[in-house]
Amino acid sequence: MNTTPQPDPKDRPARLTVGVVGAGRVGPALAASLALAGHRPVAVSGVSDASRRRAAALLPDVPLVPPAEVLRRAELVLLTVPDDALPGLVTGLAETGAVRPGQLLVHTSGRYGARVLDPALRAGALPLALHPAMTFTGTPVDVQRLAGCSFGVTAPEELRLVAEALVIEMGGEPEWIAEDRRPLYHAALALGANHLVTLVAQSMELLRTAGVEAPDRMLGPLLGASLDNALRSGDAALTGPVARGDAGTVAAHIAELRAHAPQAVAGYLAMARATADRALDHGLLKAELAEDLLGVLADGAGGAVGAARSSGTGTGTTGTTGTNSTEHPNSTENTDGTENTDGTEHPDSTENTDGTDSSDGTEGDAR
């Protein structure tokens, strides 16, 4: 057993002062994690009550100041704002002279690589893109979850070691993502993490409608096993009536959903078609059974389109369903870190998950 006294993290060389622009869910957690590694948070921006609460919980005694003042005080600045707000924020900070030569400027957007920081690069900053593939709650538990969390890392080659070192100090695992692959990388995380929440929430609603008193307790073991199987075996883990080609069962599902939860029909059909395609490609769904199954799905889609047209709620083409619904673009956020939704949050609650939630969250996130 090693009994040699370990040095205090604060005594390690190359400790940095850390600032956070955007006190959403992600920024304070990352700064708190860097503090555990011996770096020193010195400033955070945030004006809403939620931002102040998060900063107080995760970064006690760190002053709340305007974004430009954060950059003035810090050697390492975390820009943890939503994707759509990031380019304008970077440009504004560079144009106002807030960026200093040699300053490490880190954003946590999943969508963007390092090039979004070009205005700051021209001002002499050192640009890093570090996106945690994790969903955040805005509470101290987030710091613990960073242990073993993968980070999508993009940076100039000469800063690669710096970027990877910061991730490791936060307890994460660096994964290098090429600049031109960032949107695809982010789409993959959103597909898995964000849509999973929607699917689980819909499943719980349907179970309640079916009379199940504790749908979370019923789904927990099942979904846990399914996720584990999928991560281990990929498409070989596919089970259920679609993968088996049970067209009659799928038709019954569609009829029940149309009767009791018509809003879930379009999602069921889309996922069933995607599942059927994957099951066919991997030899799990027999071709002779696939014809009847795909016919049921096409009939179901036609019925969904007809119902949507008659009710005035949407339009669609053959085999597809439209809902005429609208979404806000990704998310928007003020430079203090508050945001509207990346599909999940209201102002200042801030993926990437992504697993992604938005990066002032993130989403997650993911974001």
Side-chain angles (χ1 to χ4, degrees):
M1 181 176 179
N2 184 5
T3 58
T4 304
Q6 297 299 307
D8 189 301
K10 294 183 177 61
D11 296 329
R12 296 174 187 165
R15 299 301 89 188
L16 300 169
T17 53
V18 179
V20 179
V21 176
R25 297 186 179 190
V26 174
L30 297 188
S33 184
L34 287 168
L36 292 176
H39 300 288
R40 185 164 61 92
V42 294
V44 58
S45 71
V47 297
S48 70
D49 290 341
S51 292
R52 293 175 182 273
R53 287 194 300 270
R54 273 191 291 268
L58 288 164
L59 302 173
D61 302 322
V62 175
L64 283 156
V65 298
E69 181 64 14
V70 173
L71 270 72
R72 191 186 71 80
R73 298 187 184 192
E75 298 163 311
L76 166 62
V77 179
L78 303 173
L79 302 180
T80 51
V81 299
D83 297 349
D84 286 358
L86 182 61
L89 172 64
V90 175
T91 299
L93 291 171
E95 289 178 349
T96 58
V99 179
R100 302 197 314 274
Q103 190 169 46
L104 284 166
L105 213 56
V106 177
H107 80 71
T108 57
S109 165
R111 170 185 171 187
Y112 291 109
R115 287 181 193 151
V116 72
L117 298 173
D118 277 355
L121 174 64
R122 290 191 289 271
L126 306 177
L128 308 174
L130 309 179
H131 175 250
M134 178 54 62
T135 184
F136 289 79
T137 65
T139 66
V141 71
D142 295 332
V143 179
Q144 302 170 24
R145 287 180 174 174
L146 289 174
C149 168
S150 291
F151 279 67
V153 177
T154 305
E157 186 63 31
E158 61 270 22
L159 295 176
R160 179 167 181 159
L161 292 179
V162 175
E164 293 178 343
L166 287 172
V167 170
I168 291 169
E169 286 191 315
M170 287 186 282
E173 296 287 341
E175 184 73 36
W176 194 256
I177 307 295
E179 180 80 32
D180 62 352
R181 295 298 177 93
R182 291 289 291 206
L184 179 61
Y185 153 80
H186 193 218
L189 294 180
L191 184 67
N194 300 161
H195 297 175
L196 176 63
V197 174
T198 300
L199 290 170
V200 173
Q202 281 191 337
S203 183
M204 288 198 294
E205 288 177 355
L206 294 171
L207 286 171
R208 289 190 190 97
T209 302
V212 175
E213 293 184 0
D216 54 341
R217 187 171 66 230
M218 176 175 283
L219 284 174
L222 173 64
L223 297 185
S226 295
L227 177 59
D228 183 64
N229 291 341
L231 292 174
R232 291 173 183 271
S233 305
D235 288 301
L238 283 172
T239 63
V242 173
R244 291 192 300 266
D246 291 341
T249 299
V250 172
H253 288 177
I254 295 169
E256 287 298 301
L257 291 174
R258 186 164 288 122
H260 299 287
Q263 74 281 0
V265 172
Y268 181 95
L269 291 170
M271 292 305 300
R273 284 193 294 269
T275 301
D277 288 343
R278 299 190 75 87
L280 270 171
D281 289 344
H282 289 79
L284 301 173
L285 174 59
K286 296 179 180 179
E288 60 269 24
L289 298 177
E291 185 175 354
D292 286 345
L293 174 67
L294 295 175
V296 166
L297 295 176
D299 290 343
V305 170
R309 284 176 174 163
S310 64
S311 65
T313 59
T315 60
T317 58
T318 302
T320 63
T321 301
T323 60
N324 203 27
S325 61
T326 59
E327 288 184 326
H328 292 290
N330 266 354
S331 47
T332 58
E333 177 168 43
N334 299 322
T335 54
D336 71 348
T338 63
E339 76 167 342
N340 297 323
T341 112
D342 184 1
T344 55
E345 303 284 345
H346 278 288
D348 205 351
S349 58
T350 66
E351 268 234 10
N352 228 299
T353 215
D354 43 219
T356 160
D357 100 24
S358 62
S359 201
D360 164 34
T362 167
E363 44 202 137
D365 46 248
R367 164 177 171 154

